[in-house]
Amino acid sequence: MTCIADIQSFVQEYAETIAEVLELEVTIVDEKLIRIGGTGQHRFNIGKALPQGCFYQKILQTGEPGIIRDIGNEHTCRNCDNIKKCSELATMGFPIFNGEKAIGVIGIMAFSEDQQQKIVNMSSKLLDFLKHMSSLLQSKIQLMEVNQRLQDQVQEALVAVNNRFTFRNILTRDDAFLEILNKARHISSSFSTVIIRGESGTGKELLARAVHSESQRRNKPFIVVNCASIPENLLESELFGYEEGAFTGAKKEGKLGKFELANGGTIFLDEIGDMPISLQPKLLRVLQERNIDRVGGKKPIPIDVRIIAATNKNLEEMVEKGQFRGDLYYRLNVIPFFIPPLRTRRSDIPLYVDYFIKKYSMMLNKEGLEVNHALMQWLRDYHWPGNVRQLENVVEYMVNMAGERIISFSEVPEKMLNKNIYEHEEEKISLEERMTKFEKSILENMISPGMKIDEKNRVAKELGISIATLYRKLDKYGIDK
């Protein structure tokens, strides 16, 4: 069963957003009373257990929400191990359910009299708000479980076909890619920095997550930072955090950066080639000294974080042009992996198509869909410049458009059909040559050596030709009958 700790980075962002909206501090704990997310003072207690006898323990046990308006005078708090050291003035909590079971608590608390009065005066509205936030977390967890069940089912079939192990969430039949996965699995428990290269959409983040999940850090955070999506003037504070009063608009209590949130776990620096040159020396220092400096901070903060970087850019060329620091490049390039594009491992395409059809059929209540042979061959031959991500989008579109059980060319996005499926080939060939090549590839895919006559009759019927025409085409292309 999926637990709150499995979505730690989402939970922390969730807590920070709620805190900004309500101007109250927020904490989220799992069923073992481990703090998974927190703001204010509790930001520094993420990963630690709440004291025995605390109010949230009662909420977990009863499955009922609750409020303490004055912790100093509340009978419920007398059994708490931390009652003498507690700095909270008031608190409110709502259980998070998965089915009938309470798997955590989302709560707000007051550390000032103004915050206390807000909880007391707005208790009914705040309780309704927490109920809604709890439901959203529940939906997130349930969606993850559906996806996980799908991944497990497909992976079982894949293992049976390949008779070899791969990372649970990565599908492939390609020998070269399997070798990469085996090497990645082998170094999962290492502390060394990893860089993953490959075109957009090949699954670089998926490989990084697999390395993390196979490591001894699997129960610690996996924090994702897209270096290309965060404005340059915000990236430093996002990565390294800031102290109180570091700049205009800074939060009163300061803010933890992504490196601190990932402490004990893994940080995934996606699109590392887009990191501003001005920030690269600071990242280099993190790699060399294993500590960070917050914006406005006066002393370094030690961290224990494994760094996995990824890029689709030519870093070597960038180093030559002075766009990327050479010393940082070598620090990152300790354990390099290159994920091959989908067009070089075409045997994986039917595997992904089947997986995504099952996934979106279940989501859209369209069970039993499958792709006809001619379309599957067309999908195998397509260039896929967007790789697996593009393929998934196309399959999702086709499942949405499907009116019959068998998906055919009529469900393919029109803009794809207008493109030359052999656009990756440099030579210029005529339309007739392209059609001949396409026809041959379809027959090679549908006819296997030693096929019986009744099976060939079935193929001919499916292709809409006579058995005599089928034999003539097999002779024309030299295909073993």
Side-chain angles (χ1 to χ4, degrees), residues 167 181-190:
F167 285 150
L181 295 180
N182 288 332
K183 288 179 179 178
R185 183 166 168 248
H186 181 71
I187 59 88
S188 290
S189 294
S190 167

Side-chain angles (χ1 to χ4, degrees), residues 231-415:
E232 182 175 348
N233 61 330
L234 298 179
L235 186 56
E236 182 176 7
S237 60
E238 280 294 311
L239 286 173
F240 307 115
Y242 58 79
E243 296 288 357
E244 177 181 354
F247 49 84
T248 303
K251 290 183 179 179
K252 244 186 339 184
E253 70 278 11
K255 180 181 178 181
L256 292 181
K258 301 297 187 184
F259 273 96
E260 285 182 86
L261 291 175
N263 202 27
T266 303
I267 188 166
F268 177 60
L269 300 177
D270 198 9
E271 307 295 349
I272 190 68
D274 291 289
M275 174 168 280
I277 195 82
S278 59
L279 268 186
Q280 291 179 22
K282 201 160 187 178
L283 177 59
L284 178 63
R285 184 181 175 190
V286 174
L287 287 162
Q288 290 174 330
E289 302 181 14
R290 297 294 166 177
N291 58 50
I292 59 106
D293 292 309
R294 290 183 187 164
V295 176
K298 297 180 179 178
K299 61 179 181 179
I301 300 171
I303 55 165
D304 172 23
V305 174
R306 185 180 197 177
I307 296 173
I308 302 180
T311 185
N312 61 2
K313 294 192 172 181
N314 187 331
L315 292 184
E316 294 79 8
E317 186 177 292
M318 292 179 69
V319 169
E320 288 182 7
K321 294 180 178 180
Q323 298 169 341
F324 200 87
R325 290 181 63 110
D327 46 7
L328 177 57
Y329 166 78
Y330 290 114
R331 281 287 182 178
L332 290 170
N333 203 44
V334 179
I335 303 178
F337 292 108
F338 177 80
I339 300 181
L342 190 57
R343 61 183 172 275
T344 67
R345 43 189 179 99
R346 296 189 182 278
S347 61
D348 282 348
I349 292 174
L351 188 68
Y352 284 117
V353 170
D354 290 342
Y355 169 70
F356 293 134
I357 283 179
K358 288 183 175 68
K359 175 180 177 179
Y360 290 106
S361 293
M362 181 177 291
M363 293 174 68
L364 297 169
N365 294 317
K366 292 186 174 184
E367 298 293 335
L369 296 179
E370 57 183 90
V371 171
N372 72 23
H373 288 288
L375 176 55
M376 183 65 83
Q377 185 60 44
W378 186 90
L379 293 170
R380 281 175 60 102
D381 289 340
Y382 189 73
H383 182 51
W384 299 114
N387 293 292
V388 180
R389 186 182 295 121
Q390 182 190 11
L391 175 60
E392 179 174 5
N393 291 341
V394 169
V395 173
E396 182 180 0
Y397 177 90
M398 293 193 301
V399 173
N400 271 282
M401 294 296 110
E404 305 290 338
R405 188 178 71 83
I406 303 298
I407 298 174
S408 63
F409 282 94
S410 60
E411 280 80 47
V412 177
E414 186 176 350
K415 64 181 180 180

